[in-house]
Amino acid sequence: MTDPIRLGIFGFPVAHSKSPEMHRAAARALGISLEYELFEVAPADLAAEVRAKHDERIDGYNLTVPHKETVIALLDEVAPGARAIGAVNTVVRTVDGYVGHNTDAPGLVRSLEEAGVRVVDSTVVVVGAGGAARAAVVGLANAGAGEIAVLARRPEQSEALIESLARHVDCTLEAAPLSEADWHFDSATLVVQATSATLESNPRAGEFAAMLPIDTLPPDAAVIDMVYEPLETAVLARARGRGLNVVDGLGMLLHQGAIAFEMWTGLPAPLDVMREALHD
Ligand code: NDP
C-alpha cells in the first residue's frame, strides 16, 4: 500500500475551514489515500510550524487568514502570480522544494466562466482593496479583462493596490474612492464584491449593499460576491432583484480548491463531489 498524500491548512482560527471536507471527499471519490489536517497556528508560531512540516516532508498545504502573506518568506519558490498578488494560499512540494501558488485568482476566473460570465475584454469594478481584491485584479487581468477599476472606502488603499500591481498586469487599471461608484457602475460589465462588508457577521451588510449603485448597472452586467457566508449576500440579493447574472463566492472556493487538488495529486478534481461537500 502506498503512503497517503499528506496535506493540511494553516490558519488562525481555522476550525471553520471547509477545505478538509472538500479534499477528503475528492480523495474518497477517486479512491486515493489522502490525509488533510487543520493546523491552528498563531502568527508568531507560523515560521517554526511551517519549517517543522517541511522537515516532515509534508506533500503540500493551504494557508488562510492571517498567514497568506507571511508564509512567502518561508518558501523555496513563489509562482509569478502569487508573487504579484503578494499572497500564497497553496504550497506544493516539488523536487526544487516548497513552491507557493495563489489559486484564489484562477479560482475566481473559473467560477465566473462556469457561470457564463465573459471575462475577456470585460469592464470590471472591484469593490474593496484588501487581499481578495488583489487576487481578483491579477486573476481577471491575466484572463484578459479590458479595464479594472478598484473602489475602496479609503482611496489610499485602492491607489496603493493599483500602484503595486500595475507593472505585473497587462490591463488598464484605475483606483477610485467608493463614493464615486456611480461613475464606474454605469459602464461595468462585471462587479466583484471583494470586501468583508457582506459577511453574515456584519449587522450593517444591508446598509453597505444599499449604498452600492446596483440600479445603475447595465442590464447584461454580472455581479459576484466573494463572500459565501451567507451564500446569498445583501449585494447579490439586490442584483438578483434587478435580474442581473449573480454568482456566489462558493464557486471560487470550490475552484481554488480544485486547482490545488490537481497540483497535489496530478489528477482531475471531481468537481461535483467537492461542490457537494461544500454545500453539506
Ligand atoms: P481584507 O481584510 O484583506 O480586506 C477587506 C476589504 O474590505 C478592505 O478593503 C476593507 O477596507 C473593505 N471593507 C470592509 N468593510 C467595509 C465596508 N463596510 N465598506 C467598505 N469597505 C469595507 O480581507 P480579504 O480581502 O482577505 O477578504 C475579503 C472577503 O473575501 C472575506 O470576507 C472573505 O470571506 C472573502 N474571500 C472569499 C474567498 C473565496 O474563495 N470565495 C477567497 C478569499 C476571500 P478597510 O481596510 O478600509 O476596512
Side-chain angles (χ1 to χ4, degrees):
M1 208 166 114
T2 52
D3 288 340
I5 298 173
R6 287 177 311 117
L7 306 167
I9 178 165
F10 288 91
F12 192 71
V14 76
H16 65 282
S17 174
K18 295 175 186 292
S19 292
E21 281 319 312
M22 177 168 61
H23 290 294
R24 288 173 192 154
R28 272 195 304 273
L30 298 184
I32 58 174
S33 173
L34 178 152
E35 290 170 1
Y36 191 107
E37 290 178 73
L38 293 174
F39 305 133
E40 176 134 337
V41 173
D45 301 325
L46 185 72
E49 294 295 329
V50 162
R51 288 198 183 104
K53 293 295 174 208
H54 289 187
D55 289 345
E56 290 169 19
R57 298 192 47 79
I58 190 167
D59 292 295
Y61 51 92
N62 285 130
L63 300 120
T64 186
V65 179
H67 300 315
K68 288 184 183 183
E69 291 84 12
T70 41
V71 73
I72 288 179
L74 308 170
L75 301 174
D76 298 305
E77 227 179 277
V78 177
R83 178 74 67 191
I85 294 164
V88 161
N89 74 326
T90 301
V91 174
V92 183
R93 180 162 65 86
T94 73
V95 286
D96 297 322
Y98 285 94
V99 182
H101 298 267
N102 188 302
T103 68
D104 285 334
L108 169 72
V109 172
R110 282 199 195 177
S111 77
L112 289 167
E113 288 169 350
E114 190 179 57
V117 177
R118 184 180 159 85
V119 172
V120 174
D121 294 333
S122 54
T123 301
V124 184
V125 174
V126 174
V127 180
R134 290 180 68 86
V137 170
V138 172
L140 293 167
N142 287 344
E147 298 170 33
I148 305 176
V150 179
L151 273 47
R153 63 176 167 185
R154 290 182 297 117
E156 67 275 16
Q157 194 188 28
S158 48
E159 280 156 21
L161 184 154
I162 295 301
E163 208 174 295
S164 67
L165 290 186
R167 66 195 160 89
H168 294 288
V169 300
D170 181 20
C171 171
T172 306
L173 300 182
E174 190 185 340
L178 191 51
S179 55
E180 290 176 9
D182 282 7
W183 295 2
H184 297 275
F185 271 51
D186 66 7
S187 57
T189 61
L190 170 62
V191 172
V192 180
Q193 195 309 104
T195 77
S196 46
T198 58
L199 279 172
E200 210 152 45
S201 53
N202 179 14
R204 303 180 71 179
E207 246 171 79
F208 171 80
M211 177 269 292
L212 294 181
I214 302 277
D215 292 344
T216 65
L217 285 169
D220 55 352
V223 178
I224 182 167
D225 197 326
M226 286 194 180
V227 165
Y228 50 83
E229 279 168 337
L231 217 46
E232 175 96 335
T233 66
V235 167
L236 290 190
R238 275 199 67 202
R240 192 185 298 282
R242 264 211 56 203
L244 304 177
N245 185 5
V246 301
V247 186
D248 65 51
L250 211 60
M252 176 177 173
L253 183 69
L254 166 70
H255 286 287
Q256 65 75 30
I259 297 166
F261 185 88
E262 288 170 2
M263 286 178 172
W264 291 324
T265 64
L267 299 169
L271 282 178
D272 290 346
V273 170
M274 294 173 85
R275 197 187 315 267
E276 203 176 310
L278 286 181
H279 278 284
D280 286 348

